[in-house]
Amino acid sequence: MESTGNYELDHIMLTREAVRERVSEIAASISDEYRGEELIFTGVLKGAVIFMSDLVRSIDLSVDTRMDFIAVSSYGNEATSSGAVKLIKDMDTNIEGKNVIMVEDIMDTGLTLSYLREMLAARGPATFKTCVLLEKPDRKKIDSTMDYTGFAIPDKFVVGYGLDYAGKWRNLPDIWCVTKR
Ligand code: 5GP
């Protein structure tokens, strides 16, 4: 994916209805697993905001649900391939001894998520799981799998439902493929 050039919306890959249905299925599984316990959802800004806000509203009220956020940015091209990310905003919560689910919009190579997972898991949470809305199996460079995945998608650049292109299109209710104009 080039970082310059003009892209336009091509077609819808996942409708809002499909996303809504899958999000409530994931929420039901999480609710079953954490009933009666405290659970801290940690969203990776900014892409995960919309997914996470829908997800937490579908979590059963018997789960003591908390929200926190972390913000990262990739280093230059070379460092991106190592998955090293710069921490822009850390969590406010001390997660030692807590149940944590890290929430991301999309896993491409998986390097960002595995870097973050290592960083947060080192803080000694009681349990640590990962939840990603989209994953691109063809692009995956890491071995580990996510605990909760919404959809496996083909190697296409997508926007909408929190995902952007150069800051645009996060607010689209459906998930779209973009194409070069
Ligand atoms: P990874 O470290 O898994 O290769 O990169 C993950 C990050 O790349 C995501 O958090 C997201 O910011 C960006 N990314 C990867 N694929 C896409 C895509 O199809 N659409 C958008 N909007 N961002 C993507």
Side-chain angles (χ1 to χ4, degrees):
M1 179 74 199
E2 295 171 52
S3 57
T4 55
N6 289 318
Y7 287 82
E8 61 187 13
L9 299 176
D10 192 64
H11 62 276
I12 292 179
M13 181 187 274
L14 294 163
T15 62
R16 65 196 78 182
E17 291 80 15
V19 172
R20 192 185 309 130
E21 196 179 325
R22 188 70 190 114
V23 169
S24 41
E25 284 170 5
I26 295 172
S29 308
I30 294 176
S31 300
D32 280 348
E33 196 167 338
Y34 293 90
R35 214 169 289 284
E37 295 186 53
E38 184 185 311
L39 176 58
I40 304 168
F41 287 89
T42 304
V44 184
L45 294 172
K46 302 171 184 153
V49 163
I50 298 198
F51 172 39
M52 188 158 118
S53 64
D54 280 347
L55 184 68
V56 294
R57 282 179 293 176
S58 297
I59 297 291
D60 193 278
L61 291 178
S62 64
V63 181
D64 179 2
T65 297
R66 314 292 173 107
M67 294 166 75
D68 205 333
F69 294 94
I70 197 161
V72 293
S73 78
S74 298
Y75 282 110
N77 282 342
E78 227 173 289
T80 308
S81 58
S82 74
V85 293
K86 190 164 141 202
L87 195 59
I88 306 284
K89 183 219 171 290
D90 203 344
M91 297 180 65
D92 299 327
T93 321
N94 177 358
I95 58 171
E96 195 178 344
K98 308 277 187 179
N99 297 314
V100 177
I101 294 185
M102 184 169 76
V103 182
E104 245 293 39
D105 52 355
I106 188 163
M107 180 169 87
D108 188 25
T109 61
L111 292 167
T112 306
L113 269 169
S114 71
Y115 180 88
L116 286 175
R117 167 156 51 194
E118 227 168 90
M119 186 184 85
L120 295 180
R123 298 180 182 178
T127 63
F128 185 82
K129 293 206 171 186
T130 47
C131 175
V132 71
L133 180 65
L134 306 173
E135 92 174 278
K136 294 180 182 170
D138 299 345
R139 301 257 312 156
K140 204 162 140 186
K141 283 195 187 155
I142 55 155
D143 247 355
S144 58
T145 52
M146 299 295 110
D147 298 291
Y148 304 97
T149 301
F151 302 91
I153 62 163
D155 183 13
K156 294 271 162 44
F157 196 82
V158 291
V159 298
Y161 199 70
L163 290 139
D164 73 312
Y165 171 68
K168 255 175 78 156
W169 292 322
R170 293 190 197 277
N171 57 319
L172 295 174
D174 306 289
I175 296 175
W176 289 74
C177 281
V178 295
T179 186
K180 202 159 181 17
R181 200 181 283 161

